[in-house]
Amino acid sequence: MAGLFKKFFNKAHEEEQKEELLQESEEQLSDEEIEAILVEEMDEGPLEVESEHADEAGGSDFFFSRLKEGLLKTRKNIAGKINNVLSGFKSVDEDLFEQLEEILITSDVGISTSISILDNLREKVKEQKIKTPAEIKDLLKQEILAIMEDSTEKFGEKTPAVILIIGVNGVGKTTSIGKIASKMKNSGKKIIIAAADTFRAAAIDQLEVWGNRAGVDIIKHQEGSDPAAVIFDAINSAKSKKADMLICDTAGRLHNKKNLMDELKKIYRVIEREYPEAHKETLLVLDAATGQNAISQAKLFKEAADITGLVLTKLDGTAKGGIVIAIKSELGIPVKFIGVGEKINDLQDFAAVDFVNALFED
């Protein structure tokens, strides 16, 4: 069956791409352009949190509606096409299964994951003696939900905590840090940010803007400083101020994979030595719009770090949000946050049931 879709799968340059991943996702803007934006943002005041108390005014319905809106392009690409295919068949046959498989593959669910989903779907259709195509939709939702569900604890439950944020430049790493910091602060926690991406001055400045707007302390050194030294000072600050959570930015681009691994290992050693009692997490930020390239990035970083969760950004800007399913299926890393818009509350805690429902709801 996989041979039918070879045209969608090309691994010829996979290893070469891996080595380029840490170099290719450079910020779209130059440092000077970023700095100009930062000056403008400084005048914008505090973060927009008009819906921070949405639980009182609409509860989970508000967040689900934002999720559904953010997944509009992906929903049209996956659920819309699936509905069209199912309505075009009067019976369940192999041609129907192949068309469903093609839809998943072209939506970046991935070949191996798509084949697995459809193989399981065939078995269930046979076991349950399903005859009408309309009944397949719910079974398909169940298969995807089984992949996405995870039993890990909710983010932020264990304190004190040190959260290491990793990812290449341009994926929304700094913005995610600011939004997570604001989210945790608004939940009643005391937050400190460590600006340990010292390779670009603009990265430090940009993070400081987010820290100021979120109303949290930020520990920084000069550009070119030792990132591990920043983490060291930040840990001491977090301990002395009894912070609940220390969120640490890291460099998004180093010269090669060995440098990345060495730098992260050094930071890990500092954290373990200076704050052994803290709960530790490493979140990898990925741009969902990059599709299969996001999986290649995740595999590369997984070799260098013990990744405990994913932050998937820019889902609202892509029709290939199926990559969320592929990453969870192929790498087994739980998704902690998803970004479905530009507003502060558009970085949401990931809930598998809500995600699948929003993906398929008409």
Side-chain angles (χ1 to χ4, degrees), residues 115-293:
I115 290 174
S116 177
I117 289 173
L118 266 296
D119 284 348
N120 291 338
L121 193 62
R122 288 184 180 89
E123 288 297 319
K124 288 191 176 181
V125 166
K126 185 177 180 180
E127 291 171 2
Q128 299 179 27
K129 298 180 180 179
I130 290 175
K131 302 297 182 182
T132 59
E135 297 177 83
I136 288 181
K137 186 175 179 180
D138 283 339
L139 290 181
L140 187 57
K141 286 175 64 176
Q142 291 172 21
E143 286 299 317
I144 294 175
L145 183 59
I147 292 173
M148 299 309 300
E149 282 188 316
D150 196 271
S151 59
T152 57
E153 73 277 353
K154 186 177 179 181
F155 181 83
E157 286 186 345
K158 294 182 179 180
T159 59
V162 178
I163 313 298
L164 203 63
I165 309 294
I166 61 178
V168 299
N169 292 334
V171 296
K173 183 159 57 77
T174 304
T175 302
S176 296
I177 291 172
K179 290 181 176 182
I180 292 171
S182 179
K183 187 181 187 73
M184 292 296 103
K185 184 191 175 185
N186 288 325
S187 71
K189 291 180 170 57
K190 187 170 186 178
I191 309 298
I192 291 178
I193 296 176
D197 181 357
T198 60
F199 289 84
R200 291 188 309 115
I204 301 172
D205 294 340
Q206 190 177 10
L207 196 60
E208 188 170 21
V209 169
W210 274 104
N212 291 337
R213 294 175 67 191
V216 302
D217 291 340
I218 179 167
I219 306 301
K220 64 174 184 174
H221 287 189
Q222 293 182 341
E223 179 186 5
S225 301
D226 183 357
V230 180
I231 301 296
F232 177 88
D233 287 350
I235 288 174
N236 286 334
S237 178
K239 291 164 74 172
S240 65
K241 295 178 180 178
K242 294 182 170 54
D244 297 299
M245 183 178 292
L246 170 62
I247 304 176
C248 308
D249 190 16
T250 60
R253 183 180 75 125
L254 296 175
H255 295 303
N256 54 49
K257 187 169 66 177
K258 183 179 185 304
N259 283 1
L260 168 69
M261 296 178 73
D262 290 345
E263 190 62 56
L264 289 177
K265 285 178 182 177
K266 185 177 180 181
I267 289 174
Y268 282 132
R269 286 196 300 269
V270 170
I271 294 173
E272 193 57 50
R273 184 185 70 231
E274 300 299 325
Y275 214 173
E277 67 273 27
H279 172 67
K280 302 167 187 67
E281 289 208 40
T282 300
L283 302 185
L284 173 63
V285 182
L286 296 171
D287 179 353
T290 61
Q292 291 296 314
N293 193 39

Side-chain angles (χ1 to χ4, degrees), residues 54-55 58-72 75 141 338 340 345-346 348-349 351-362:
D55 285 331
S60 58
D61 288 344
F62 169 81
F63 292 103
F64 180 76
S65 66
R66 292 295 299 132
L67 176 62
K68 184 179 175 182
E69 181 182 339
L71 291 175
L72 177 61
R75 184 167 61 254
K141 286 175 64 176
I338 54 173
V340 291
N345 286 322
D346 290 336
Q348 296 188 10
D349 293 312
V353 173
D354 287 346
F355 176 80
V356 175
N357 285 337
L359 194 61
F360 281 91
E361 189 166 301
D362 297 329

Side-chain angles (χ1 to χ4, degrees), residues 304-358:
D306 181 17
I307 302 169
T308 59
L310 300 174
V311 180
L312 293 170
T313 66
K314 310 179 187 180
L315 273 169
D316 57 311
T318 180
K320 295 192 174 185
I323 194 65
V324 179
I325 304 166
I327 290 173
K328 180 62 169 62
S329 175
E330 294 187 27
L331 302 179
I333 304 173
V335 180
K336 295 297 180 78
F337 296 100
I338 54 173
V340 291
E342 296 298 324
K343 295 181 180 179
I344 187 66
N345 286 322
D346 290 336
L347 183 70
Q348 296 188 10
D349 293 312
F350 180 78
V353 173
D354 287 346
F355 176 80
V356 175
N357 285 337

